[in-house]
Amino acid sequence: RAWSQFYFLFLTLTGLIDGSDVSQHPLLWRPEGQSATMNCSHTKDATFFQMYWYRQLPGEGMKQIVFTTPTPPYKYESGFSEEKFPATKSNALTGSLTVEKLLPEDSGVYFCYTVTQTAEAYFGGGTKLTVLVKVLPPSTKECRNQKDGPRKKTIVCVASGFYPDHVSVKWKIDGIKATSGVATDNAALREGRYYRITSRLKVSGEDWFTLYKNFTCIVEFFDGTATIPYEDTVLGVEGLFFLVLWELRNDLI
């Protein structure tokens, strides 16, 4: 056991950390519940047939996930399973790691490194995986009282469980950007490893009780090259009731 720990330390100290030899895509964005596959390749020769995968969560050190070679089975570390983190390595020069059924806590940086039996090692630059926010629509139960007709109604949109914190929120009413009545947190709030942001849209009671009126919350992420929007929509109460009754009536026919 002591020897294996020393061997790993020796690899770390003598290995060459050089992203030009080991290639990984720097950014990967996937919605919660889906899977994310990260690829790794290198330009060394076939003696570099061993590949390790590591994960570094926000605020933590790196932890080894799995050790792979072109000849399975692969060796998984405690706390990591093949079901959650299936790996592939069909040849000496390439390999991949997949994270299944993504959860917010899977967000982090995933590193691969390749090594020879003579302890020469090369790290990749890492892939930053971000599990995208789930936008929660507001509860219509909070705005059903028609006696409040002329009063303002406040619709709340909550985005949580995301990392990092570079997001923006905007609203649309019937497809048109809302420019008034919008109040969004000045910055995303840290909750443990992840972030949460809340935005509110204040509308008139007349708008809220208008048939087919829709209110859309849009959360936008910048992934380094493009802005990716994620959205959810809630209908005005009258429109919602009408649709529910219509669907029920059709089910009974």
Side-chain angles (χ1 to χ4, degrees):
R1 179 63 178 175
W3 180 86
S4 64
Q5 290 177 338
F6 174 78
Y7 181 66
F8 174 73
L9 180 61
F10 180 73
L11 286 178
T12 303
L13 293 175
T14 61
L16 300 178
I17 303 175
D18 187 349
S20 64
D21 291 294
V22 181
S23 299
Q24 291 184 258
H25 194 282
L27 297 171
L28 184 61
W29 301 71
R30 289 291 183 272
E32 182 177 358
Q34 294 190 9
S35 63
T37 297
M38 291 157 282
N39 297 309
C40 179
S41 62
H42 65 82
T43 57
K44 309 304 291 182
D45 58 42
T47 62
F48 289 82
F49 63 89
Q50 302 176 81
M51 185 173 288
Y52 292 79
W53 285 93
Y54 284 81
R55 181 179 72 179
Q56 185 172 24
L57 297 178
E60 298 184 7
M62 288 198 299
K63 292 184 179 179
Q64 183 177 321
I65 300 172
V66 62
F67 165 67
T68 67
T69 70
T71 306
Y74 307 139
K75 182 180 179 182
Y76 284 84
E77 294 299 302
S78 176
F80 299 96
S81 68
E82 184 176 5
E83 181 180 5
K84 175 69 176 179
F85 300 95
T88 63
K89 186 156 181 59
S90 58
N91 57 67
L93 303 182
T94 63
S96 70
L97 177 74
T98 298
V99 185
E100 297 285 1
K101 299 178 181 178
L102 287 169
L103 298 171
E105 52 264 34
D106 293 320
S107 294
V109 183
Y110 291 75
F111 296 91
C112 71
Y113 90 82
T114 184
V115 60
T116 67
Q117 290 182 324
T118 60
E120 185 180 358
Y122 291 79
F123 267 91
T127 295
K128 179 182 286 187
L129 171 64
T130 300
V131 180
L132 296 174
V133 60
K134 178 182 289 186
V135 180
L136 302 179
S139 170
T140 57
K141 294 180 181 179
E142 298 176 0
C143 299
R144 285 184 175 175
N145 188 0
Q146 295 194 46
K147 294 180 180 179
D148 292 339
R151 296 183 182 179
K152 296 288 186 179
K153 305 295 183 182
T154 300
I155 307 172
V156 180
C157 176
V158 179
S160 62
F162 58 90
Y163 175 89
D165 63 343
H166 43 275
V167 298
S168 62
V169 184
K170 65 182 181 182
W171 290 84
K172 287 185 178 181
I173 301 175
D174 285 341
I176 300 174
K177 183 178 179 180
T179 57
S180 62
V182 177
T184 302
D185 293 344
N186 292 328
L189 302 177
R190 190 73 180 258
E191 291 186 332
R193 298 175 184 160
Y194 307 102
Y195 290 89
R196 174 189 183 95
I197 194 167
T198 301
S199 183
R200 299 163 183 83
L201 174 66
K202 186 173 288 187
V203 300
S204 68
E206 180 182 359
D207 278 347
W208 178 248
F209 290 111
T210 298
L211 187 65
Y212 296 127
K213 201 81 169 178
N214 64 78
F215 308 90
T216 302
C217 174
I218 304 169
V219 180
E220 295 183 331
F221 292 85
F222 182 69
D223 67 358
T225 58
T227 298
I228 306 173
Y230 288 83
E231 63 183 55
D232 209 334
T233 298
V234 63
L235 294 175
V237 171
E238 286 297 325
L240 181 65
F241 286 169
F242 178 84
L243 289 175
V244 170
L245 290 173
W246 186 87
E247 290 175 357
L248 178 60
R249 181 173 179 273
N250 277 271
D251 287 341
L252 296 176
I253 293 176

